[in-house]
Amino acid sequence: QMDDTGLADFASAMLAHCSLVVWDFDLTILRVHAFGEGVLSEDVARRWQADVADLELFRCFVLTALARGTRVGIASFGRAEVILAYLQHIFAGTDAASAFTPENIATPASLGIPGVTDGVSLPNGKPLLLELLCKRANPVIKRSSVLFFDDDANNIDECLGAGFKHSYHCAAGFQRTAVRSLLQASRSAPAQHKRAVCTLT
């Protein structure tokens, strides 16, 4: 089990060459699919601690990113207001209490496509959401400078194909058990597109 120093060291190594780190939400940050379960904002207070896959790892990554001047964001097909409610509870009382706002939570409704609402899964949707987060930054962030984590292999393949080369498949969510193989994959990945898989160890 990693202590706080080990977690911070891992986060720093993963963030070394990135200007923006983004997570999917359901089944990545959370161990559950909040949208699929119909979770509402008012439900979050009683369940958030049980729902988060690895609270310490996520907090450490965000705090380390902010300390390095790296931006953070969420790219999810879920409901923005529910995601924000979770994040407010996760970071309450920490130095990252205001790290997440509607500006860095990208959901389908954020794209401004007629008829598209939160909860809709779009073809090539994750690259579109990542690109939106890149464009919202000033200066605009390059795709090659984005670090992205998602539990869905198809999303990762689409992001790699779109030039988000630091996209990692966390099949069992963003958890400490995946940390060692994730870092190893990031260090040994070849230049060409290759999906790096977070394997439980």
Side-chain angles (χ1 to χ4, degrees):
Q1 184 172 341
M2 285 191 169
D3 59 15
D4 289 347
T5 302
L7 286 176
D9 288 346
F10 166 67
S12 292
M14 289 294 293
L15 292 162
H17 304 293
C18 294
S19 302
L20 169 67
V21 55
V22 183
W23 292 265
D24 169 52
F25 202 69
D26 289 337
L27 299 178
T28 299
I29 296 306
L30 301 188
R31 66 178 78 249
V32 299
H33 200 293
F35 179 79
E37 292 185 16
V39 176
L40 304 175
S41 299
E42 53 265 34
D43 300 328
V44 174
R46 64 174 173 80
R47 59 179 292 164
W48 71 271
Q49 287 178 296
D51 287 352
V52 177
D54 192 327
L55 179 63
E56 289 183 22
L57 179 64
F58 183 43
R59 279 180 173 167
C60 181
F61 242 81
V62 170
L63 289 165
T64 302
L66 297 177
R68 295 174 59 90
T70 301
R71 291 175 177 268
V72 296
I74 298 291
S76 170
F77 296 139
R79 291 192 178 96
E81 69 274 11
V82 175
I83 294 168
L84 184 57
Y86 272 103
L87 293 167
Q88 287 172 338
H89 283 285
I90 289 169
F91 292 103
T94 74
D95 291 340
S98 59
F100 291 94
T101 70
E103 275 296 297
N104 61 353
I105 299 173
T107 57
S110 310
L111 295 170
I113 300 172
V116 172
T117 60
D118 287 352
V120 174
S121 180
L122 299 169
N124 208 41
K126 286 301 170 76
L128 290 173
L129 294 175
L130 292 182
E131 184 66 19
L132 177 63
L133 291 171
C134 288
K135 288 180 177 178
R136 283 181 174 177
N138 186 16
V140 172
I141 291 171
K142 296 178 180 179
R143 294 183 182 193
S144 60
S145 296
V146 177
L147 177 62
F148 178 53
F149 302 98
D150 196 308
D151 71 285
D152 188 299
N154 290 330
N155 289 339
I156 293 299
D157 286 342
E158 288 181 351
C159 290
L160 290 170
F164 294 100
K165 64 181 183 178
H166 300 293
S167 296
Y168 295 98
H169 179 215
C170 298
F174 191 69
Q175 301 185 62
R176 228 168 310 184
T177 48
V179 158
R180 190 173 292 111
S181 55
L182 231 187
L183 183 57
Q184 183 178 11
S186 73
R187 286 174 168 167
S188 61
Q192 68 267 28
H193 291 165
K194 178 183 178 182
R195 182 201 307 158
V197 180
C198 302
T199 306
L200 298 182
T201 57

